[in-house]
């Protein structure tokens, strides 16, 4: 037989495109359309519906960037359509390839009740089925003219990402605005042919099944009269019935499909637009659930539910009804799908606390999966946090984007830094926006790495990123794939049903230990420095506000600000979303975040100051408050002392000119040499005589690289950026500055390009660290600024702090896995150590860094260089990223063990506060081992007055210690992150003795204790 596959396949494509699909709506009449454009931000529904309209027609332009236009469409169903299904077809000027990334609409009835959302792949609104004929049609559309930021030529700089710079030129032209007959038989034929044509293309040519499908499709096309598609569609479907009824092989892969619309809480649109995206999508999905009995839809991000509840209560009522029926499934249990690399220990915990509590309070549901399909890598501390929140499963897809190494598993145990394991699944379909195309299903089957041991995977199905969700076409395709020869079996299932089946089938999968590093989007650790600094500052201020408010409530009876703290936490958690904190959103998002962080800082500072004034009492003495988890300056952790009663700082500081230029600084613990270029050429640990800086090298060296990645500008830094580097060694000014009676400082000023940098290097009496304050007035583009510290230290690994501990990364590049980690994340410190001596670099606000090692030929010593990433200047999606003044604080800590790194890291992030008052403040709680760090001290969220303490072992060893309460203690219990006691009679009850309890911790273990006050 001659091979005529290409002939039939080409015929199928043309007939579908030009004859059969157009026949889905064979008859139509135009609708009348009127428009009103809101003058500013979106208006309430009632106002939009009531506003006066002016006529607009198909082909007319509308929609300035970020504008809102209210359209009214009206018409009459022709009487001759009686008995037919009638739909309104509303095309706002859509590009079919950009669902979620351009204009969208939400349709309302005249009474203001929502009907459904409109987007490029969902333009229909059901009017009647069947129609009586003569019905009057009146609908209102809230149309958002969101500009296209990520266009066909992606990553081009655009001013459209900021409302003030986007202009007012209309973006769109109205396209189809019709009433039309919907021919369901033709629509079903289209789905039949699409499913079979897509499946056919994935089957082996030598297999009989492919040829069976080819011949069936050919017969169906022969049965279609191209001049009467509607009259012959049923006959064509009959030719396909046999091949569609042939069941799947018993060994066929099983796919659990779940309706989904991964809606970015901000990205190429601002937060306010996400509120509307969620409303459009959920309106669509609740309508689809009513008409499709097998369909199941899932949505994560408690914040998005809260938005609908506040802004679209009618839609929320439909959501609550569908949730109660078990068909609209809250997933993930987090406030947002956050970044997981950069949020602090406590913030990561609160993502689950606030997310799970919302679902429990609103729906009575506790879900057990973490749902993070699009997050840019996963920190090694996350498994313990998931487990302590009462969850046990994790789903993500993003690791499939890694550039170099293919992850070896799709289903596995993920083991965190403390030994906690979480059952984890990566969908082999490699997308969180599955549309049920044959190539996607076939890819999942071929790609699944656990064949022979497991046979289940999951497919989140629906248009996402910008929203939209599942369509009726996807559901129809899934129905045909339920049991079809040559395909995987597809079923609609809830995430929990999938995970339960997958774990039962594969109870002993392989284990992956440590972080799940994404070999892509590494620059998100640096882009948009102000957003990152605002996040870090907010986390620190929240810690202080809770600590001192709890202490003041117990000590002074000051009312605890429950509602205020709850609201602020949710604001901070929202901005940890994986396109906000990573710096990959449009300018609007980051400018708004900067303003929000400033407001949050003011509110939290006021809360802290109110509590500290209540604690300090009356008097004019100066009281020093220490919110760090370690004692310092003679003040215990979580306590306060009169300054005049504190011990004098030990030692003295000196500074003198060096021969040849520069200065020598000395505080009796460190001797620092700064040369004439303003570079640190020596840091000697005077206790050991050990030199910190590698021979012939200079530390605190600012280095500038070109930074133009191949794509994903704000997200990516490509390895080749290192090929070219400029050391910033020219100095404008080098001088000694007044640092007070107990410190010495040198200030260095440099100019480069259009920018300047001022660095202040300070030694403080009694402190074994060199403080480094950097101010950069940054006006570069497509450049990467780093601060380098070449250390005379030999080690094949280093520690980087993460949530509730630290993890180790190699300093070498033996394998492709190690080489791919050329930019990585730390929280407050990185630490390098030879046996008996180490060095830490601590930071108050930066996250990205890189580490390299070289061997010096002259002495065969190893130079280990750590470089803190300071600033970037990508031009997409924000063409003005990071322009302006930035301030950074770091400290170099020679002779440091990992415990010193932990202590100094907290110290640099939690500065002491001075308040006038009368006396000392005893800590509310204390621990007897410095390795045990208090992560949070607060009052219980339920208003009971119990004190909640979260703590963890910080050094990677075992700890036995005593936690002492500074109040009469009636009882103590171990709890989960949601402050719920461990299950079982007496579970987690700790014996109280002398207002304290004994505790034991494994390496990096976190514990939450609930302390009842007598």
């Amino acid at each position: 037989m001659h091979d005529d596959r290409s002939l039939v396949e080409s015929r199928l494509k043309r007939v579908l495109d030009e004859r059969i699909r157009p026949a889905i709506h064979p008859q139509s009449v135009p609708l009348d359309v009127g428009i009103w454009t809101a003058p500013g931000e979106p208006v309430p529904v009632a106002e939009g519906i009531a506003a006066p309209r002016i006529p607009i027609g198909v082909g007319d332009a509308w929609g300035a960037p970020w504008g809102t236009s209210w359209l009214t469409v009206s018409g009459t169903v022709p009487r001759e359509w009686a008995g037919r299904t009638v739909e309104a077809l509303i095309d706002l000027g859509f590009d079919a390839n950009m669902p979620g990334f351009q204009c969208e609409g939400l349709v309302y009835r005249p009474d203001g009740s929502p009907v459904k959302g409109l987007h490029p792949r969902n333009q229909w609104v059901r009017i009647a089925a069947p129609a009586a004929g003569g019905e009057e049609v009146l609908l209102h559309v809230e149309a958002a003219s969101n500009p296209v930021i990520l266009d066909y030529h992606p990553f081009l700089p655009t001013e459209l990402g900021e409302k003030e710079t986007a202009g007012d030129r209309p973006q769109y032209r109205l396209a189809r605005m019709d009433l039309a007959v919907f021919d369901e038989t033709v629509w079903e034929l289209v789905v039949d042919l699409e499913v079979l044509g897509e499946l056919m293309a994935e089957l082996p040519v030598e297999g009989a099944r492919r040829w069976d499908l080819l011949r069936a499709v050919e017969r169906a096309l022969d049965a279609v009269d191209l001049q009467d598609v509607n009259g012959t569609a049923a006959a064509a479907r009959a030719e396909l019935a046999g091949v569609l009824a042939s069941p799947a092989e018993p060994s066929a892969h099983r796919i659990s499909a779940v309706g989904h619309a991964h809606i970015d809480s901000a990205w190429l649109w601002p937060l306010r637009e996400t509120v509307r995206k969620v409303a459009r999508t959920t309106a669509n999905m609740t309508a689809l659930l009513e008409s499709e009995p097998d369909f199941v839809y899932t949505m994560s991000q408690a914040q998005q539910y809260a938005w609908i509840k506040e802004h679209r209560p009618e839609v929320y009522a439909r959501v609550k009804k569908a949730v109660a029926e078990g068909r609209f499934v809250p997933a993930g249990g987090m406030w947002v799908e956050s970044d997981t690399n950069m949020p602090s220990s406590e913030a990561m915990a609160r993502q689950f606390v606030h997310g799970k509590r919302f679902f429990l309070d609103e729906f009575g549901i506790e879900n057990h999966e973490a749902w993070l399909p699009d997050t840019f890598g996963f920190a090694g501390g996350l498994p313990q946090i998931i487990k302590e929140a009462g969850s046990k499963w994790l789903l993500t897809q993003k690791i499939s984007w890694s550039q170099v190494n293919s992850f070896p598993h799709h289903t596995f145990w993920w083991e965190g830094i403390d030994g906690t394991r979480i059952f984890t699944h990566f969908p082999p379909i490699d997308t969180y926006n599955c549309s049920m195309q044959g190539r996607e299903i076939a890819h999942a089957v071929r790609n699944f790495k656990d064949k022979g041991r497991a046979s289940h995977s999951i497919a989140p199905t629906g248009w996402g990123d910008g929203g939209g969700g599942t369509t009726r076409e996807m559901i129809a395709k899934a129905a045909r794939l339920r049991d079809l020869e040559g395909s995987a079996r597809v079923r609609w299932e809830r995430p929990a049903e999938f995970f339960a089946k997958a774990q039962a089938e594969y109870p002993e999968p392989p284990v992956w230990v440590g972080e799940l590093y994404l070999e892509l989007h590494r620059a998100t650790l640096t882009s948009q420095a102000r957003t990152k600094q605002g996040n870090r500052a907010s986390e620190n201020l929240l810690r202080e506000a809770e600590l001192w408010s709890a202490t003041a409530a117990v000590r002074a009876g000051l009312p605890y600000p429950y509602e205020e703290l709850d609201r602020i936490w949710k604001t901070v958690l929202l901005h940890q979303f994986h396109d906000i904190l990573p710096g990959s959103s449009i300018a609007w998002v980051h400018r708004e975040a900067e303003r929000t962080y400033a407001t949050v800082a003011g509110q939290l500072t006021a809360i802290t100051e109110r509590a500290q004034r209540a604690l300090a009492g009356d008097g004019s003495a100066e009281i020093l408050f220490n919110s760090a988890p370690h004692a310092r300056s003679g003040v215990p952790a979580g306590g306060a002392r009169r300054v005049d009663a504190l011990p004098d700082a030990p030692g003295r500081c000196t500074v003198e000119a060096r021969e040849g230029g520069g200065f020598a600084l000395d505080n009796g613990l460190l001797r620092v040499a700064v040369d004439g270029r303003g570079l640190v050429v020596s840091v000697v640990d005077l206790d050991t005589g050990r030199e910190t800086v590698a021979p012939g090298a200079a530390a605190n060296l600012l280095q500038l690289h070109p930074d133009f990645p191949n794509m994903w500008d704000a997200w990516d830094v490509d390895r080749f950026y290192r090929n070219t580097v400029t050391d910033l060694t020219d100095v404008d000014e080098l001088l000694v500055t007044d640092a007070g009676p107990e410190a010495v400082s040198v200030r260095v000023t440099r100019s480069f390009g259009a920018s300047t940098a001022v660095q202040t290097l300070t030694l403080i009496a009694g402190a074994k660290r060199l403080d480094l304050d950097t101010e950069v007035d940054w006006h570069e583009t497509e450049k990467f600024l780093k601060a380098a510290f070449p250390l005379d230290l030999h080690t094949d690994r280093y520690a980087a702090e993460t949530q509730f501990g630290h993890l180790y990364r190699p300093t070498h590049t033996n394998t492709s896995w190690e080489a791919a980690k050329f930019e990585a994340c730390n929280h407050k410190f990185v630490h390098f150590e030879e046996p008996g001596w180490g060095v830490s670099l601590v930071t108050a606000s930066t996250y990205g860094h890189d580490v390299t090692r070289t061997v010096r030929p002259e002495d065969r010593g190893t130079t280990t260089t750590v470089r803190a990433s300071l600033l970037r200047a990508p031009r997409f999606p924000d063409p003005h990223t990071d322009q302006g003044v930035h301030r950074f604080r770091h400290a170099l800590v020679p002779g440091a063990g990992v415990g010193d790194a932990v202590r100094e890291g907290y110290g640099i992030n939690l500065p002491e506060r001075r308040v006038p008052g009368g006396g000392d403040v005893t800590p509310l709680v204390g621990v007897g081992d410095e390795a045990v760090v208090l992560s949070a001290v607060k009052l219980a969220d339920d208003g009971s007055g119990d004190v909640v303490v979260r703590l963890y072992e910080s050094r990677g060893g075992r700890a036995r210690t005593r936690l002492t309460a500074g109040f009469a203690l009636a009882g103590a219990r171990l709890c989960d992150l949601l402050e719920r006691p461990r299950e079982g009679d007496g579970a987690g009850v700790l014996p109280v003795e002398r207002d304290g309890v004994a505790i034991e911790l494994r390496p990096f273990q976190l514990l939450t204790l609930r302390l009842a006050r007598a």
Side-chain angles (χ1 to χ4, degrees), residues 172-187:
Y172 301 100
R173 292 186 180 274
L174 290 185
R176 191 170 187 180
M177 294 282 177
D178 289 342
L179 279 179
V181 170
F182 174 71
D183 189 326
E184 186 169 1
T185 302
V186 175
W187 182 82

Side-chain angles (χ1 to χ4, degrees), residues 158-348:
T158 174
E159 297 289 351
L160 290 171
E162 183 99 75
K163 193 172 184 181
E164 288 74 16
T165 61
D168 58 5
R169 183 177 64 83
Q171 303 286 290
Y172 301 100
R173 292 186 180 274
L174 290 185
R176 191 170 187 180
M177 294 282 177
D178 289 342
L179 279 179
V181 170
F182 174 71
D183 189 326
E184 186 169 1
T185 302
V186 175
W187 182 82
E188 297 281 7
L189 175 60
V190 169
V191 179
D192 289 345
L193 288 170
E194 286 181 349
V195 167
L196 294 175
E198 291 167 6
L199 174 60
M200 184 169 61
E202 301 298 329
L203 295 173
V205 174
E206 61 274 13
R209 177 64 169 168
R210 177 159 183 166
W211 292 92
D212 289 344
L213 299 184
L214 186 80
R215 294 304 162 217
V217 167
E218 185 176 42
R219 292 193 300 272
L221 296 176
D222 289 342
V224 174
D225 183 342
L226 298 186
Q227 276 65 54
D228 185 17
V229 172
N230 301 89
T232 55
R237 291 200 73 204
E239 296 294 341
L240 302 174
V243 291
L244 284 167
S246 182
E249 294 91 343
S251 62
H253 185 72
R254 289 164 169 78
I255 292 178
S256 296
V258 59
H260 187 240
H262 166 71
I263 303 178
D264 286 310
S265 287
W267 180 27
L268 305 180
W269 44 86
L271 290 168
R272 68 91 153 144
E273 193 55 35
T274 313
V275 174
R276 303 201 295 177
K277 284 176 175 288
V278 174
R280 296 174 200 126
T281 299
T282 52
N284 268 351
M285 296 303 96
T286 51
L288 207 53
L289 288 167
E290 291 175 0
S291 62
E292 299 290 346
D294 293 333
F295 179 51
V296 175
Y297 181 76
T298 193
M299 188 170 89
S300 68
Q301 305 192 70
Q303 172 69 84
Q304 296 189 357
Y305 290 81
W307 276 334
I308 320 171
K309 181 180 180 181
E310 178 183 357
H311 297 282
R312 291 291 190 272
E314 305 91 343
V315 178
Y316 191 65
R318 287 160 52 173
V319 169
K320 287 201 77 168
K321 177 177 179 292
V323 170
E325 294 167 351
R327 303 192 50 218
F328 193 116
V329 183
M334 296 174 68
W335 191 247
V336 294
E337 290 181 12
S338 74
D339 180 80
T340 74
N341 284 313
M342 290 176 281
S344 69
S345 304
E346 200 57 35
M348 201 74 253

Side-chain angles (χ1 to χ4, degrees), residues 120-169:
R121 299 297 181 98
N122 205 329
Q123 303 177 21
W124 58 274
V125 181
R126 183 62 55 88
I127 301 299
E135 294 99 328
E136 294 298 320
V137 176
L138 180 63
L139 297 171
H140 303 286
V141 181
E142 181 188 20
S145 49
N146 301 331
V148 175
I149 305 292
L150 192 67
D151 214 333
Y152 286 99
H153 188 163
F155 317 121
L156 288 180
T158 174
E159 297 289 351
L160 290 171
E162 183 99 75
K163 193 172 184 181
E164 288 74 16
T165 61
D168 58 5
R169 183 177 64 83

Side-chain angles (χ1 to χ4, degrees), residues 459-529:
T461 301
W463 298 111
D465 291 320
T470 318
T471 64
R472 63 184 179 184
E473 289 79 12
M474 296 174 193
I475 293 175
K477 285 188 171 186
R480 287 155 176 79
L481 298 173
R482 185 176 180 87
D483 192 12
L484 181 62
E485 183 184 354
S487 171
R489 286 191 173 94
V490 177
R491 301 281 192 282
W492 294 107
E493 291 187 308
R494 299 166 186 83
E497 292 173 324
F498 159 74
F499 274 109
K501 290 181 179 178
Q503 192 165 2
E505 177 188 47
Y506 201 14
E508 296 298 330
V511 178
W512 182 270
V513 178
E515 66 183 328
L516 293 169
Y517 180 93
L518 176 64
E519 296 171 0
L520 193 74
H521 293 358
R522 303 168 181 88
T524 57
L525 302 173
T526 305
S527 297
Q528 298 286 2

